[in-house]
Amino acid sequence: MTATAPPAQSPPAGEALGRPLRRADGREKTTGTARYSGDHAPAGLTHAALLGAHIAAGRIRALDTTGALAAEGVRAVFTHENLPRIAAQPPLLPSLAGGPAPGQTFFPLQDPEIHYAGQPVAMVVADTWERALHATRLIRVDYEEAPSATVLDQIRHTAFEPEKIFGGLLPGRATRGDLAAGLERAEVTVDLTFTYAANHQNPLETCTTTASWEGGRLFLYDSAQGPAATQHTLAVLLGLPHADIRVDSHLVGGSFGCKAMTWAHPALAALAARETGSPVRLALTREQMFTSCGHREEQEQRVTLGALRDGRLVALRHHKLSPTSHFDDWAEPSLEAASQLYACENYEGRYLLARAHTMTPTFMRCPGEATGLFALESAMDELAQRTGLDPLELRRRNHAERDPVTGKPWSSKGLQECYARGAALIGWERRAAPPAREGDWLIGLGMATAAYPIVPPVNPQRAKARVFADGSALVQAGVAEFGTGATTAMAQVAADALGLPVDACRFEGGSTDLPNVSAAVGSMGASYTGAAVHAAATALRAQLIAQAIADPESPLHGARAADVTLAGGRMVLRDRPETGESYAQLLRRHMQPDAEATGSWGPADLTASGSSHAMLTFGAQFAEVAVDADLGVIRVRRLVGAFAPGRVLNARMAANQLMGGMLWGLGQALLERTFMDPALGRWNNTSLGDYLVPVNADVPEVTVELVEVHDEAVNPLGVKGVGEIGQAGTAAALANAVHHATGRRLTRLPMSLEDLL
Amino acid sequence: MTTHKPAARGQAATAPPERGPGPVPVPLIVNDVPYTLDIEPRVSLLSALRDGCGLTGAKRGCDQGTCGACTVWVEERRVLSCLTLAIACEGRRVTTVEGLAQGGELHPMQEEFIAHDAFQCGYCTPGQLMSAVALVREGHAGAPGEEADPAEISEWMSGNLCRCAAYPHLTAAIAAAAKRM
């Protein structure tokens, strides 16, 4: 269990960064006063409910909405026959890029065609939520059903190699060296195929949008990882000036990827509000969360390793086959970190896609690497077995001193230290002995390497800092708070840059009226927003120091800027700290209510440092399991994760997020599976009772170990990110522990007891 | 659970009057404040609290009784308010997370949740808190003066999902609060 020592709540000014301060929003979140998107109720609020198609392919022959329209309290029923057309469909592009970011390039309720089960075919607006939901069940839809195909086994013969995947950002194939020559040279070969169930993110808050129009301007409360993504996407879909749309996402009840992109519901809520003239809240039901905001696709990955007898890799082939929708070429990027993990000259990675009657898959926590590293790290464990090497020793022999893809040096790494610390904490030396047995339980230890990419910003990330004449500071950027602790951590960043006590600094985010930052996705929220906040606060500090130096009435008058520093919350001379004054004294003397500055961090700031380095976050996962020898039941006894995420802004919240990631890995390994009925083309287990996620009693002892690495290339603060790395490799460490305990190599996720019988 | 036998035929005078399906006045006492809501009998306690009383602390995570985010107390007992009809709570005392703090002073459980960082996004937190206080009261966090058994706490908290998976912190917070309650 992670230690939670009582924190120093009020560290000295300038020493807030990294401290395990309590969450700034703790009181709101524990008293029920924290407001999420569905908790805002503008006057005259009405409720929208969607009806989804129950066929997976075909078309609507006829619709009868008479019963719904006649139902008590119903204001309107929208179908493809009467919903206004969208102005334009923006292309699919990950929200990290900062522009329009639709989750798929299909928009519903525009024509009678059905492309996937659950596709909205009608939307009811009523005065209460119950009445809206009830009325959807009074709508009669006459479908002309066509044959559907929704699982790999139905469509693998149609597989094709896409030129690009992932919104056009990644090539369908990547190679280096000569794979055939490498395989020829190999003395030991491992060739394994892994299969993965589809998964759904299932944050506890279902996607919810509250929309209202005031004076021609659209206001949305939207549960989104990036309010700006919603703004930009809706501007295109609705043909509105971006300036006429404001999106607030102050607090979001979890996302895990399903709110990273903008799906149809915010635009549907906006259209409903415009057409009915009343504010509309559209809250997806739990069932609809399985058919409205993407999923992690079912997939197969084949890994072929070629190695010399001493374990050194000479060939790595990694192929992935997965279903995508009929409109987009999407695969989660499973082959990326896995291609950079080990020194291996000869490589081939290929994505293969096949079209299915599902919506476009999307991000889910640790996108790509959660599945890619399961395959690679399971195969590495098998290679260790076949070469007779300790699995940790095998990794060390293949340690990549430079990025094997680009040949560039790493911006920072820390992986060897993660191996050493994790191994010590789990007691890895026990693995040398034969597997232990305790009664019916076979005990096993496993490990895996963890890595997650760092993506530099595509465009400038901005923030604004303001100091008031009373000495308090307000720092703003449009980032959403969905549990990462951004609100708290950004106040810490601002406090240190301004040289003020953290208690004097408030961070405000979650609105498109604030300076623009990209969606907080891909573990980059702390990096992007942190760098912008740091830049803004540093600029404001420099501005106020310059003002003091130029002010004949200031004790700092005439000093050199380089000689002025911040100490004890005051601007002072570095060598004579008794000489100086506070920001508040300076502002009050000039009758200035406040001073403000904006800061920006973007691609231009990275060209010098970032482009000369390869950037990945590294870690090492260790697991201890017990497997019932007769029943095959797998119990996780302990998880140890050692991570090197660069500068940690708040140790308490970082550890919480890393622990959550590791437990997500446990869920991926042992529980999470969305079942598709291939005959009906529908997901079968669309509830939290049937889609299993870890509950309190599933959780073993979890140890999070932070390994410090100094990184000057990633961003000014040296932050590498903690959102995903906790999950990377966890499932492989667990499967490898099961292999150690039982001698069985499980290649299917989630692992289940029937695989061990 | 108490069960109500249906009234026998011919004893209609003793059966409760039929109400609905349209809106009917439903009196509720929530956090010691009396409300009379004009709601349809099919309206859940969760909707009544959120849309009728404006108390949005209890959250709709699933509306299927599987996630626990809507947990409130009816009298002293924890219930899933998404599966409880508001009209069935007429005249009963309902307590929501908004009623946990007394006069601005946080309940020990709220304080320990904050101290142990027992949440991330906070969406499940109102339900976790209401379950946590109830389970201590029910004696599942050890008798007064006794050390709590973390496994027992985990078991009795497993009806409240935390998708951020702050579970170890939740268990530690509950054990710490139990000593102060």
Side-chain angles (χ1 to χ4, degrees):
Chain A
M1 202 170 296
T2 311
T4 49
Q9 261 322 103
S10 300
E15 296 178 25
L17 221 52
R19 297 273 179 138
L21 302 188
R22 294 178 178 186
R23 275 172 211 271
D25 51 17
R27 190 176 178 98
E28 288 84 348
K29 285 179 173 173
T30 54
T31 52
T33 52
R35 297 253 164 183
Y36 299 79
S37 291
D39 297 337
H40 295 275
L45 179 68
T46 61
H47 299 262
L50 299 176
L51 175 67
H54 73 252
I55 64 166
R59 66 198 312 277
I60 298 168
R61 200 182 284 126
L63 273 156
D64 181 1
T65 58
T66 328
L69 279 166
E72 197 73 36
V74 170
R75 303 278 178 85
V77 178
F78 297 102
T79 69
H80 69 277
E81 291 169 352
N82 63 342
L83 189 79
R85 300 286 90 99
I86 56 169
Q89 173 64 55
L92 193 166
L93 188 65
S95 53
L96 194 71
Q104 60 184 10
T105 55
F106 165 75
F107 194 87
L109 296 177
Q110 301 290 298
D111 61 51
E113 305 300 321
I114 303 296
H115 304 283
Y116 56 93
Q119 172 189 323
V121 295
M123 172 169 59
V124 175
V125 180
D127 57 353
T128 73
W129 188 70
E130 284 77 9
R131 286 172 164 178
L133 265 187
H134 174 68
T136 62
R137 282 147 205 170
L138 303 175
I139 297 169
R140 298 285 162 257
V141 188
D142 180 14
Y143 293 105
E144 188 180 306
E145 195 169 356
S148 68
T150 47
V151 298
L152 272 182
D153 281 343
Q154 295 169 310
I155 52 177
R156 61 174 69 246
H157 62 283
T158 68
F160 62 98
E161 185 176 303
E163 192 187 328
K164 303 260 184 182
I165 59 155
F166 200 60
L169 295 181
L170 291 172
R173 179 195 289 242
T175 57
R176 62 177 187 257
D178 184 338
L179 180 77
L183 287 170
E184 186 72 25
R185 198 179 147 213
E187 294 166 330
V188 186
T189 308
V190 170
D191 190 353
L192 290 171
T193 297
F194 302 87
T195 58
Y196 305 74
N199 287 167
H200 279 80
Q201 303 87 346
N202 277 312
L204 262 272
E205 178 198 32
T206 65
C207 294
T208 303
T209 307
T210 305
S212 57
W213 294 79
E214 290 168 39
R217 195 175 179 207
L218 173 61
F219 291 84
L220 295 176
Y221 290 103
D222 186 40
S223 49
Q225 277 180 256
T230 308
Q231 177 194 34
H232 298 317
T233 310
L234 263 59
V236 179
L237 285 171
L238 304 180
L240 286 172
H242 292 237
D244 286 357
I245 303 177
R246 170 175 162 156
V247 181
D248 286 353
S249 309
H250 295 302
L251 286 173
V252 180
S255 169
F256 314 109
C258 76
K259 299 166 184 170
M261 306 289 278
T262 306
W263 303 94
H265 57 274
L268 289 174
L271 287 169
R274 191 175 72 189
E275 296 304 302
T276 60
S278 304
V280 168
R281 179 187 300 156
L282 174 51
L284 300 184
T285 65
R286 180 53 58 185
E287 297 96 316
Q288 289 167 348
M289 287 297 286
F290 289 79
T291 53
S292 307
C293 45
H295 52 273
R296 191 188 323 264
E297 66 271 22
E298 178 200 2
Q299 53 198 280
E300 277 181 19
Q301 292 184 28
R302 181 179 172 193
V303 172
T304 311
L305 300 178
L308 304 179
R309 272 198 199 89
D310 65 3
R312 278 180 299 143
L313 291 169
V314 291
L316 167 57
R317 181 171 59 201
H318 195 167
H319 291 180
K320 167 174 170 170
L321 167 65
S322 59
T324 186
S325 67
H326 279 267
F327 4 96
D328 299 304
D329 288 353
W330 179 276
E332 62 164 2
S334 303
L335 313 183
E336 307 309 311
S339 72
Q340 297 171 275
L341 211 51
Y342 297 114
C344 178
E345 284 172 11
N346 306 305
Y347 172 83
E348 179 192 83
R350 283 177 78 196
Y351 291 95
L352 293 166
L353 296 176
R355 301 217 179 275
H357 292 101
T358 67
M359 64 185 321
T360 303
T362 195
F363 299 97
M364 182 161 161
R365 193 175 198 169
C366 202
E369 315 312 344
T371 54
L373 292 182
F374 173 70
L376 177 65
E377 288 300 282
S378 295
M380 286 295 281
D381 200 67
E382 187 65 24
L383 181 61
Q385 168 88 5
R386 295 195 194 169
T387 52
L389 289 169
D390 178 275
L392 187 49
E393 174 57 22
L394 176 70
R395 267 95 175 166
R396 286 180 170 139
R397 287 189 186 183
N398 286 290
H399 187 262
E401 295 298 334
R402 302 170 81 85
D403 174 18
V405 175
T406 60
K408 291 178 186 175
W410 301 109
S411 62
S412 62
K413 192 156 188 182
L415 178 57
Q416 297 281 24
E417 180 75 6
C418 291
Y419 286 148
R421 302 261 282 270
L425 284 165
I426 196 91
W428 186 251
E429 71 285 351
R430 289 179 291 152
R431 198 182 178 283
R437 181 170 182 144
E438 295 174 13
D440 289 336
W441 295 99
L442 307 171
I443 313 301
L445 289 175
M447 62 83 55
T449 308
Y452 193 79
I454 290 168
V455 183
V458 176
N459 38 47
Q461 307 293 307
R462 286 195 303 277
K464 188 167 76 178
R466 222 171 148 190
V467 169
F468 295 90
D470 67 350
S472 65
L474 177 66
V475 187
Q476 298 169 309
V479 71
E481 170 63 85
F482 49 96
T484 59
T487 312
T488 315
M490 291 309 130
Q492 292 174 257
V493 172
D496 278 15
L498 287 166
L500 292 175
V502 70
D503 294 348
C505 299
R506 169 182 285 276
F507 177 77
E508 185 186 17
S511 175
T512 54
D513 276 4
L514 302 178
N516 185 55
V517 289
S518 292
V521 297
S523 288
M524 298 316 296
S527 164
Y528 286 17
T529 312
V533 164
H534 179 75
T538 307
L540 181 54
R541 167 185 168 142
Q543 176 185 314
L544 286 163
I545 288 174
Q547 186 181 342
I549 288 171
D551 178 4
E553 294 178 63
S554 171
L556 297 169
H557 179 64
R560 291 188 329 141
D563 293 336
V564 180
T565 187
L566 264 288
R570 298 165 73 238
M571 301 177 281
V572 298
L573 291 175
R574 203 175 293 278
D575 53 359
R576 274 184 292 139
E578 69 282 1
T579 302
E581 64 175 335
S582 67
Y583 299 140
Q585 285 170 314
L586 173 69
L587 292 172
R588 284 205 292 261
R589 190 165 59 246
H590 291 278
M591 296 184 68
Q592 273 179 258
D594 67 352
E596 78 174 40
T598 57
S600 166
W601 178 72
D605 304 301
L606 271 169
T607 45
S609 57
S611 60
S612 58
H613 290 88
M615 299 186 284
L616 278 182
T617 305
F618 292 95
Q621 304 275 8
F622 292 83
E624 179 176 335
V625 302
V627 183
D628 187 295
D630 299 320
L631 302 176
V633 173
I634 301 168
R635 292 271 181 264
V636 182
R637 291 193 160 187
R638 194 166 178 212
L639 292 175
V640 172
F643 308 102
R647 174 79 74 99
V648 167
L649 300 179
N650 180 311
R652 158 191 302 249
M653 296 182 309
N656 198 343
Q657 224 182 332
L658 289 163
M659 177 180 74
M662 292 165 72
L663 294 173
W664 265 66
L666 184 154
Q668 181 199 3
L670 297 172
L671 297 168
E672 298 196 28
R673 175 177 188 179
T674 323
F675 292 88
M676 172 61 78
D677 181 327
L680 294 171
R682 293 204 292 257
W683 300 116
N684 262 346
N685 52 329
T686 56
S687 82
L688 288 172
D690 298 306
Y691 181 91
L692 302 184
V693 301
V695 303
N696 200 318
D698 290 322
V699 169
E701 185 185 345
V702 184
T703 306
V704 174
E705 179 76 356
L706 291 172
V707 168
E708 279 183 41
V709 288
H710 189 66
D711 197 317
E712 289 182 353
V714 285
N715 51 54
L717 295 169
V719 172
K720 298 180 81 175
V722 295
E724 338 272 350
I725 187 72
Q727 189 179 351
T730 313
L734 284 164
N736 295 342
V738 169
H739 178 266
H740 181 231
T742 65
R744 303 281 290 275
R745 174 71 55 203
L746 300 192
T747 56
R748 188 168 70 152
L749 288 186
M751 299 182 275
S752 59
L753 55 85
E754 62 262 34
D755 296 330
L756 286 167
L757 294 179
Chain B
M1 187 187 287
T2 55
T3 53
H4 299 278
K5 288 181 185 165
R9 279 180 188 283
Q11 295 182 329
T14 60
E18 189 176 309
R19 295 189 293 170
V24 296
V26 173
L28 292 173
I29 303 158
V30 186
N31 303 330
D32 297 325
V33 177
Y35 294 83
T36 300
L37 305 177
D38 218 25
I39 51 175
E40 293 169 336
R42 67 176 165 189
V43 170
S44 68
L45 179 59
L46 177 61
S47 283
L49 292 169
R50 289 179 55 83
D51 300 337
C53 305
L55 296 167
T56 55
K59 295 289 185 265
R60 193 188 308 281
C62 67
D63 221 39
Q64 297 168 322
T66 54
C67 79
C70 67
T71 305
V72 301
W73 304 335
V74 175
E75 302 298 345
E76 299 290 291
R77 193 172 145 207
R78 41 176 164 163
V79 303
L80 297 167
S81 61
C82 75
L83 295 188
T84 305
L85 292 175
I87 201 167
C89 300
E90 274 185 313
R92 293 176 191 263
R93 287 184 305 114
V94 177
T95 309
T96 71
V97 70
E98 288 94 338
L100 215 48
Q102 293 299 321
E105 192 171 322
L106 294 183
H107 187 280
M109 192 65 77
Q110 292 168 309
E111 289 179 346
E112 296 297 340
F113 267 48
I114 295 171
H116 288 81
D117 206 31
F119 48 86
Q120 290 175 33
C121 80
Y123 202 77
C124 72
T125 308
Q128 301 276 1
L129 281 163
M130 298 312 281
S131 282
V133 175
L135 87 82
V136 173
R137 205 165 50 207
E138 291 158 11
H140 298 299
E146 241 174 51
E147 276 299 310
D149 173 7
E152 187 178 4
I153 293 175
S154 288
E155 192 64 36
W156 284 84
M157 287 301 292
S158 283
N160 289 83
L161 302 181
C162 170
R163 190 57 162 151
C164 302
Y167 294 122
H169 295 189
L170 278 161
T171 305
I174 294 166
K179 291 185 190 157
R180 300 176 47 195
M181 283 171 62

